[in-house]
Amino acid sequence: PSLTFSIDPLSWTNTDVEVTLTASDADSGVEGIYDSEDAKVSSTTSYSFTATTNGTWTFTARDYAGKTSDVLTVDVTTIDRDAPTTPTLTVDTTDWTNASVGFTISEETAGTSPESREYRLDGGSWQTYAEPAAVSDEGSTLVEARILDAAGNPSEVVSETINIDLSAPTIGLTSTPHAQPLGGATITATTSDALSGLALTKYDAGSQTVDYFAGNGTEFSGTTFDVVSGGTYTVFAQDNAGNQSVSEISVNTYPSLD
């Protein structure tokens, strides 16, 4: 007689494996299927059992003429129930920035079945990780990473938040002359930054560029500052991501007539 087997599933799995043996004999017919202890496990042409762990089993088939098949060896090697090692997720920076931010997922020692590194952004679909990987969208983006093996076992998820601000601060300016004979004026600067927040505000007389304020200008806090004479003034603002902007105002120090 002859004896063959099939297993289901054939691929890596984290579940049990079903093994089915099939015996055939064209002459006297199959008398039974026997295990390695020579115990009859089936009196028909088939026998099925569930493998809950990887292992090796041997079987033979006999016909009614007393003949025995070759020994059939069944190897189950595709069961993997162990979660992969948790990876390390490293981002270039978690501070606010105005540029794309790269990230890496560590490659851990493989377990029983092959493994792949995956990530997802803001709870979206898992994607296969490949270097280089980066986030370029404006705002705060949650990056999650995991290892997934071929059997479907996921590792623990690790996460970091990447903060990107591509927008310069906004500046709105108004001026109010002081009463005479004091002279001068108060400039009100309404500055805002929706994402990373304001880090620095300065002003100076004249029409100035952003680069000018790298080493010049007078810092101020709050929303107002006083000037002693009329003319053009420039206000500079920088946010925590490094974005910069300037705005000009022409100041008239003459009091208004009621």
Side-chain angles (χ1 to χ4, degrees):
S2 63
L3 185 61
T4 61
F5 76 95
S6 62
I7 62 174
D8 182 37
L10 286 170
S11 57
W12 285 102
T13 182
N14 54 14
T15 63
D16 297 340
V17 170
E18 296 298 318
V19 182
T20 301
L21 279 63
T22 302
S24 62
D25 187 87
D27 298 322
S28 60
V30 174
E31 183 272 336
I33 299 173
Y34 294 79
D35 65 14
S36 60
E37 302 298 324
D38 205 30
K40 182 186 284 189
V41 294
S42 175
S43 297
T44 68
T45 59
S46 67
Y47 171 64
S48 297
F49 68 97
T50 300
T52 59
T53 61
N54 293 322
T56 300
W57 297 262
T58 58
F59 300 91
T60 57
R62 295 178 190 172
D63 63 18
Y64 283 104
K67 298 176 184 177
T68 302
S69 70
D70 293 335
V71 175
L72 175 69
T73 300
V74 176
D75 286 318
V76 174
T77 60
T78 56
I79 298 176
D80 180 5
R81 303 184 195 273
D82 298 325
T85 302
T86 303
T88 299
L89 171 63
T90 304
V91 299
D92 290 347
T93 181
T94 56
D95 295 334
W96 281 101
T97 182
N98 56 7
S100 296
V101 177
F103 63 91
T104 58
I105 304 172
S106 63
E107 189 170 11
E108 302 298 329
T109 302
T112 303
S113 60
E115 298 174 350
S116 62
R117 292 171 286 176
E118 294 186 334
Y119 72 94
R120 66 180 179 183
L121 306 178
D122 286 336
S125 300
W126 288 102
Q127 306 175 55
T128 301
Y129 169 78
E131 296 179 355
V135 171
S136 57
D137 291 341
E138 189 172 41
S140 295
T141 300
L142 177 66
V143 181
E144 295 176 289
R146 71 177 184 181
I147 302 292
L148 183 69
D149 65 25
N153 300 300
S155 71
E156 291 185 13
V157 175
V158 292
S159 64
E160 292 283 359
T161 299
I162 289 175
N163 301 297
I164 298 176
D165 183 356
L166 305 176
S167 303
T170 60
I171 305 171
L173 301 175
T174 60
S175 67
T176 304
H178 294 161
Q180 296 297 333
L182 180 62
T186 296
I187 296 177
T188 300
T190 304
T191 56
S192 64
D193 188 87
L195 290 175
S196 60
L198 290 169
L200 177 66
T201 51
K202 290 182 175 182
Y203 74 93
D204 211 339
S207 177
Q208 310 296 349
T209 65
V210 163
D211 292 339
Y212 169 85
F213 287 95
N216 302 288
T218 300
E219 291 187 32
F220 69 96
S221 59
T223 60
T224 62
F225 59 90
D226 292 330
V227 295
V228 297
S229 60
T232 298
Y233 288 86
T234 302
V235 173
F236 164 87
Q238 178 176 307
D239 64 24
N240 287 298
N243 300 299
Q244 301 172 334
S245 60
V246 291
S247 182
E248 295 180 9
I249 186 171
S250 180
V251 175
N252 182 352
T253 58
Y254 292 104
S256 59
L257 298 176
D258 295 330

